[in-house]
């Protein structure tokens, strides 16, 4: 198991991840929370740069209910009046303390609670052995103001994220902790939605992932009945925002023991993962693309790298082709030909010479691999005379003609003597794992 995780440990090292911890996890599932803090510490130990956003909506709602205080909500946004702001301050302080306390314990193996000190730049640090948990003014906030006649009072959004400060903290190998309390330059305090804060911070910091935890197990069904399911959707929605801001992946993880480690460090994962659009610009070719494909392929045919195709042949088989275009220019092309018994052949994989060595080949191959799995094939092969290494580096192995599907064996050109490379793809999750290593 440990050996199988090596690749993941290597690929997550030095990447930045934003973890959102919901308040309900802390109070409703103390053991789950404690275990999670252990696992976050382990990810830190394995080299991840970590920002934790601690939410406290659960605590605030509970307090307001106990005090029979009503919190009004419009369009899904809460109004924070002066009285509830006081509660927000107290509860944000509470969740912050809980996270610091558990991390201090986790990183010291439970032998000590760590010591707290105030640093010169206005941040508080809790010593956790080799690393610190640093919380403080890492973002400034501004009020929503009055929208559609509703005054949101002390509810606000992020005005500026202090990315430089946060990167500095990471350079010292420390963990950053943010809460829902954001300060304005004039010294006012605003209540900022923590799921939004996590997604915004991830985008601003160029994080590779944002990870949302669920307070309880939840799954999407055809009917959204329970509030946990609604929360699931909310987190997903904020996750999409992070993807739009350039974050590569969003994970939604249930609070099961070891769920985080399983999601990050094993092939099967444990939660729901949403990937940013790695294949932006790649699509099935249309007849209108035939000329452009012909143009990029022809020089390679002349060099003997690819087998020749006439324009008429390209047009006839156009359904097998996929193109990567930007502003009408063909950047790459690839052909996927389906055979019997779950086999598919890649052909005509070409990247326009101006765009080579920037990961476009990987993107095109990854896309074709996905199409292959979706169309029901699990054995992908390619015939090549000069690009062997490229395919071997991407998990293909050399095989003999006898391993080709019978109808392809019948058309194999022994004079050309191309080498054959084959790869078995078990599931889309295998491909998810491969994509982690592109990183260009
Ligand atoms: C092979 C090809 C599709 C790769 O596209 P690309 O966008 O440059 O690929 P990527 O950016 O994903 O990968 C680039 C890496 O592959 C390496 N590479 C490129 N061509 C290679 C080859 N023929 N053999 C081995 N490695 C090769 C590059 O040196 C680079 O290595 P680096 O990451 O260590 O710098 C492109 O070079 C091409 O169009 N070649 C001509 C057509 C061809 O050979 N097609 C395959 C036969 S079907």
């Amino acid at each position: 198991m440990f050996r199988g995780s090596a690749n993941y440990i290597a690929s997550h090292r030095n990447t930045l991840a934003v973890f959102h911890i919901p308040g309900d996890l802390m109070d409703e599932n103390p053991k789950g929370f404690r275990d999670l803090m252990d696992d976050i510490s382990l990810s830190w130990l394995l080299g991840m740069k970590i920002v934790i956003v601690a939410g406290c909506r659960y605590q605030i709602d509970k307090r307001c209910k106990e005090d029979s205080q009503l919190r009004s909500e419009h369009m899904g946004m809460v109004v924070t009046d002066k009285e509830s702001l006081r509660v927000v301050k107290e509860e944000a302080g509470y969740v912050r303390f809980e996270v610091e306390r558990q991390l201090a314990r986790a990183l010291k193996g439970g032998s000590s609670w760590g010591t707290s000190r105030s640093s010169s730049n206005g941040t508080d640090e809790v010593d956790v052995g080799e690393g610190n948990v640093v919380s403080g003014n890492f973002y400034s906030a501004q009020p929503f103001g009055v929208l559609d006649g509703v005054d949101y009072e002390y509810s606000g959004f992020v005005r500026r994220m202090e990315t430089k400060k946060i990167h500095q903290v990471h350079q010292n190998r420390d963990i950053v902790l943010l809460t829902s309390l954001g300060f304005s330059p004039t010294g006012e305090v605003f209540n900022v939605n923590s799921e939004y804060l996590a997604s915004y911070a991830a985008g601003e910091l160029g994080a590779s992932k944002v990870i949302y935890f669920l307070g309880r197990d939840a799954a999407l069904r055809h009917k959204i009945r329970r509030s946990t399911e609604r929360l699931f959707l909310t987190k997903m929605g904020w996750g999409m925002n992070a993807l739009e801001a350039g974050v590569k992946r969003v994970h939604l993880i249930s609070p099961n023991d070891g769920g985080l480690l399983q999601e990050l460090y094993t092939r099967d994962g444990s939660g729901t993962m949403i990937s940013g659009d790695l294949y932006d610009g790649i699509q099935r070719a249309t007849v209108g693309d035939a000329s452009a494909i012909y143009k990029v392929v022809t020089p390679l045919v002349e060099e003997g790298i690819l087998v020749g195709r006439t324009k008429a042949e390209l047009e006839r088989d156009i359904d097998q082709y996929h193109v990567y275009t930007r502003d009408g220019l063909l950047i790459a092309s690839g052909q996927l030909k389906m055979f019997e018994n779950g086999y598919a052949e890649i052909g005509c994989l070409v990247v326009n010479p101006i765009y080579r060595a920037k990961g476009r080949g990987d993107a095109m191959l990854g896309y074709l691999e996905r199409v292959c799995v979706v169309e029901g094939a699990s054995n992908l092969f390619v015939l090549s005379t000069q690009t062997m290494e490229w395919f071997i580096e991407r998990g293909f192995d050399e095989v003999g003609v006898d391993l080709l599907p019978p109808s392809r064996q019948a058309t194999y050109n022994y004079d050309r003597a191309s080498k054959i490379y084959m790869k078995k793809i078990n599931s889309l999750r295998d491909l998810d794992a491969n994509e982690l290593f592109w990183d260009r």
Side-chain angles (χ1 to χ4, degrees):
M1 184 275 290
F2 197 49
R3 194 183 294 146
S5 298
N7 269 349
Y8 293 92
I9 294 173
S11 85
H12 295 323
R13 258 173 82 120
N14 288 322
T15 62
L16 198 158
V18 177
F19 294 77
H20 176 269
I21 317 281
D24 44 339
L25 178 62
M26 245 167 258
D27 282 8
E28 282 205 343
N29 184 357
K31 178 169 182 316
F33 173 57
R34 202 183 138 102
D35 291 342
L36 178 61
M37 288 299 125
D38 282 342
D39 294 351
I40 291 181
S41 311
L42 185 54
S43 311
W44 169 82
L45 207 60
L46 293 172
M48 280 183 105
K49 297 173 181 168
I50 291 174
V51 173
I52 295 177
V53 178
C56 56
R57 184 173 42 238
Y58 172 85
Q59 283 79 3
I60 299 167
D61 284 347
K62 202 166 151 199
R63 280 272 299 278
C64 289
K65 225 183 246 169
E66 281 164 13
D67 301 347
S68 311
Q69 249 182 298
L70 267 184
R71 298 179 84 209
S72 54
E73 218 182 285
H74 300 274
M75 312 268 293
M77 298 189 322
V78 186
V79 174
T80 309
D81 59 19
K82 212 165 189 162
E83 187 51 29
S84 36
L85 182 66
R86 194 179 51 76
V87 177
V88 177
K89 284 182 193 166
E90 287 169 14
E91 297 305 331
Y94 161 74
V95 293
R96 177 184 139 186
F97 172 74
E98 282 301 303
V99 170
E100 288 176 347
R101 178 171 87 94
Q102 291 295 349
L103 277 179
R105 178 198 54 77
L107 289 169
K108 285 199 169 174
S111 60
S112 138
W113 296 114
T115 48
S116 191
R117 66 174 184 271
S118 274
S119 69
S120 53
N121 61 2
T123 57
D124 286 343
E125 298 175 4
V126 173
D127 189 358
V128 281
E130 211 195 312
N132 298 306
V133 185
V134 185
S135 50
N137 297 345
F138 288 116
Y139 71 96
S140 56
Q142 66 188 71
F144 286 132
V146 180
L147 297 172
D148 292 329
V150 178
D151 184 356
Y152 286 88
E153 299 189 51
Y154 295 97
S155 290
F157 60 101
V158 180
R159 176 173 172 175
R160 212 168 93 109
M161 189 58 66
E162 300 292 341
T163 50
K164 239 185 181 169
K165 263 195 195 174
I166 295 177
H167 288 311
Q168 265 166 15
V169 172
H170 283 147
Q171 262 173 17
N172 295 339
R173 290 266 297 131
D174 292 337
I175 294 175
V176 172
L177 174 59
L178 308 177
T179 67
S180 306
L181 280 187
F183 299 89
S184 78
T186 56
E188 294 275 22
V189 186
F190 295 100
N191 178 19
V192 175
N193 176 304
S194 61
E195 281 96 357
Y196 147 75
L197 179 61
S199 125
Y200 188 88
E204 288 288 295
L205 291 164
S208 66
K209 52 181 79 232
V210 53
I211 301 169
Y212 288 105
F213 295 95
L214 306 166
R216 289 187 201 171
D217 262 331
L220 288 183
R221 287 171 239 271
H222 65 290
K223 250 184 184 171
I224 306 293
R225 276 163 301 160
R226 290 187 302 153
S227 62
T228 42
E229 285 152 9
R230 222 167 285 136
L231 271 175
F232 188 97
L233 279 182
T234 309
K235 289 172 208 263
M236 206 177 233
W238 285 120
M240 300 307 281
N241 270 36
L243 294 180
E244 275 166 24
V247 176
K248 288 187 191 141
R249 286 173 175 208
V250 175
H251 300 258
L252 285 108
I253 303 178
S254 287
N256 302 325
D257 190 15
L260 172 67
L261 297 183
Q262 208 181 327
E263 179 70 10
L264 290 183
Y265 298 107
T266 69
R267 179 171 288 263
D268 293 334
S270 71
T272 302
M273 180 176 77
I274 315 168
S275 284
D277 199 352
L278 301 163
Y279 303 111
D280 189 23
I282 304 184
Q283 56 194 314
R284 217 171 261 276
T286 62
V287 175
D289 296 310
S291 298
I293 300 175
Y294 184 75
K295 218 166 133 192
V296 289
V297 168
T298 306
L300 296 163
V301 175
E302 284 159 9
E303 284 176 51
I305 296 176
L306 295 181
V307 178
R309 291 141 171 92
T310 64
K311 249 189 217 169
E313 282 169 336
L314 278 170
E315 283 176 11
R316 185 195 63 204
D317 299 334
I318 201 73
D319 284 349
Q320 299 169 355
Y321 286 81
H322 301 262
V323 286
Y324 187 157
T325 50
R326 186 144 294 160
D327 295 332
L329 180 75
L330 188 110
I331 291 175
S333 77
Q335 182 189 14
L336 191 71
K337 218 169 157 183
M338 306 306 290
F339 286 91
E340 67 273 17
N341 307 335
Y343 284 79
E345 177 179 2
I346 286 188
C348 209
L349 180 69
V350 181
V351 174
N352 189 329
I354 323 167
Y355 291 97
R356 286 198 190 150
K358 291 194 178 77
R360 261 80 182 221
D362 270 328
M364 197 70 206
L365 177 65
Y367 183 90
L368 294 176
E369 288 177 344
R370 281 184 183 270
V371 176
C372 168
V373 176
V374 169
E375 296 198 352
S378 54
N379 298 292
L380 189 59
F381 64 92
V382 62
L383 271 61
S384 175
T385 53
Q386 291 176 36
T387 322
M388 301 80 160
E389 286 301 307
W390 195 83
F391 288 106
I392 290 172
E393 283 170 19
R394 281 148 185 86
F396 286 77
D397 292 315
E398 188 175 351
V399 298
V401 181
D402 55 317
L403 287 189
L404 288 177
S407 66
R408 187 64 180 93
Q409 284 184 31
T411 58
Y412 179 79
N413 180 345
Y414 284 90
D415 291 335
R416 189 169 163 85
S418 302
K419 296 200 173 211
I420 305 163
Y421 296 90
M422 201 170 280
K423 179 175 182 175
K424 188 150 182 70
I425 307 171
N426 297 310
S427 69
L428 288 177
R429 190 88 202 184
D430 279 356
L431 301 176
D432 292 340
N434 286 344
E435 286 160 7
L436 274 179
F437 303 103
W438 295 358
D439 214 22
R440 273 185 237 222

